[in-house]
Amino acid sequence: GAGGPEDPPCAAYPALESIARLSAAFPAAPLPQLLPRALPPHPKVSEMLRHFELALPGDEALSAPAGGYQVSTLRPAELLPEGSDNDPARTALVEWRHSGGGDVTSVVGCGEHFGSADAAALAGLGPTFAELPSQSALVAALLQSHAVGADALLLGGKGSGKTAAARRFAAALGYEPHVVYCYRDMGARDLLLRRETDASGSTVWRHTEAVRAAVSGGLLVIEAAHRLPAGVLAATLGRLLTDRALQMPDGTRLLPPGHYDELAASLGADELTARGVLRVHPAFRVLATAEPPAGAD
């Protein structure tokens, strides 16, 4: 609900659901280390966690964002779980090691360049980049969220390494990022369509990086999301983030893989294309960066 000015902000249901999935997939991860990944950064939230003894002292929650898990192996997946929507050619296997035992394995979507020697360069990393322990731990946490089907937001001050972490995540999985740079007067249409001029001089509308990433199974990186006007991101990409579905202003419709495949089985893929219906690729993932609001912990 909206609540009053003294009420703490509410966490979105998908975020809380992702915490439940993370806790189930990585049972050795302490809940106090998982909760900061879903709850809004707000003094009232911190106070509530301390009241229920769910807050770790100091920066302990941030120092081990993956809940004590480390990636031991990241390689192509040979077999997919029954009923999986994943593309066999775009799937990786992550093996996790935990200091207290209870190792686990995850199946995740990956980019077209997974395992390629050019993956780091395509992700935007320079030839002299250094792998820092803190960055490795953060990338491991992003891989965990990716493994349970959750998109992620990297929240931090200017120059805190958000973009570098996003690039390392992309490089680890062979994604070539589709980047959207946000600005303060960016409108809803700007996130989905961009105006171009064709060879004849006529104005045409093309799909933006967000739509291209969804259809191709790419990694959409939304840079500086805090600059967007209030409500624009939720109103424009909300359904794509939560349901992997979208109704475009030009009439194009994006559908989640399972729903699309059911329709394609009865109508045919060519008919769906003619109707402007496109399939969201199961490897599609969204990673946003933003600076925290004033007064946030």
Side-chain angles (χ1 to χ4, degrees), residues 40 99 108 133 147 172 197 228 232 248 295:
S99 56
V108 301
T197 303
L228 290 172
V232 166
M248 299 275 293

Side-chain angles (χ1 to χ4, degrees), residues 143-170:
L143 282 169
Q144 286 180 329
S145 296
H146 182 44
V148 299
D151 299 314
L153 168 67
L154 290 173
L155 198 63
K158 188 175 182 179
S160 59
K162 302 182 296 296
T163 299
R167 289 173 177 172
R168 281 165 170 75
F169 172 77

Side-chain angles (χ1 to χ4, degrees), residues 76-123:
E78 298 175 358
L79 296 174
L80 296 183
E82 186 176 351
S84 172
D85 289 328
N86 287 353
D87 178 350
R90 297 280 303 278
T91 306
L93 190 73
V94 189
E95 295 177 344
W96 302 87
R97 181 179 64 254
H98 192 273
S99 56
D103 299 351
V104 296
T105 301
S106 305
V107 176
V108 301
C110 61
E112 295 179 342
H113 307 287
F114 179 63
S116 167
D118 299 327
L122 291 169

Side-chain angles (χ1 to χ4, degrees), residues 39-134:
L39 298 178
H42 191 277
K44 289 284 185 179
V45 172
S46 300
E47 180 182 333
M48 179 184 66
L49 291 176
R50 286 192 294 269
H51 177 77
F52 289 103
E53 298 182 349
L54 289 173
L56 293 176
D59 295 330
E60 189 176 339
L62 297 178
S63 65
Y69 284 92
Q70 293 181 325
V71 176
S72 61
T73 305
L74 181 57
R75 56 182 173 84
E78 298 175 358
L79 296 174
L80 296 183
E82 186 176 351
S84 172
D85 289 328
N86 287 353
D87 178 350
R90 297 280 303 278
T91 306
L93 190 73
V94 189
E95 295 177 344
W96 302 87
R97 181 179 64 254
H98 192 273
S99 56
D103 299 351
V104 296
T105 301
S106 305
V107 176
V108 301
C110 61
E112 295 179 342
H113 307 287
F114 179 63
S116 167
D118 299 327
L122 291 169
L125 293 175
T128 60
F129 82 94
E131 191 68 48
L132 303 176
S134 59

Side-chain angles (χ1 to χ4, degrees), residues 231-250:
V232 166
L233 186 61
T236 307
L237 298 180
R239 283 205 66 207
L240 186 62
L241 295 174
T242 59
D243 302 327
R244 291 301 191 255
L246 186 65
Q247 179 69 55
M248 299 275 293
D250 64 354

Side-chain angles (χ1 to χ4, degrees), residues 116-248:
S116 167
D118 299 327
L122 291 169
L125 293 175
T128 60
F129 82 94
E131 191 68 48
L132 303 176
S134 59
Q135 289 280 348
S136 297
L138 184 53
V139 170
L142 292 174
L143 282 169
Q144 286 180 329
S145 296
H146 182 44
V148 299
D151 299 314
L153 168 67
L154 290 173
L155 198 63
K158 188 175 182 179
S160 59
K162 302 182 296 296
T163 299
R167 289 173 177 172
R168 281 165 170 75
F169 172 77
L173 290 173
Y175 283 113
E176 185 174 1
H178 296 255
V179 184
V180 172
Y181 297 97
C182 301
Y183 48 91
R184 297 201 180 279
D185 58 346
M186 195 173 197
R189 181 185 288 266
D190 298 324
L191 283 171
L192 302 175
L193 297 169
R194 64 168 176 264
R195 183 181 297 176
E196 295 182 355
T197 303
D198 63 14
S200 65
S202 301
T203 298
V204 293
W205 291 94
R206 305 289 189 194
H207 291 161
T208 63
E209 295 294 326
V211 180
R212 291 169 55 198
V215 174
S216 68
L219 173 68
L220 172 62
V221 178
I222 304 176
E223 286 273 11
H226 61 282
R227 295 176 181 166
L228 290 172
V232 166
L233 186 61
T236 307
L237 298 180
R239 283 205 66 207
L240 186 62
L241 295 174
T242 59
D243 302 327
R244 291 301 191 255
L246 186 65
Q247 179 69 55
M248 299 275 293

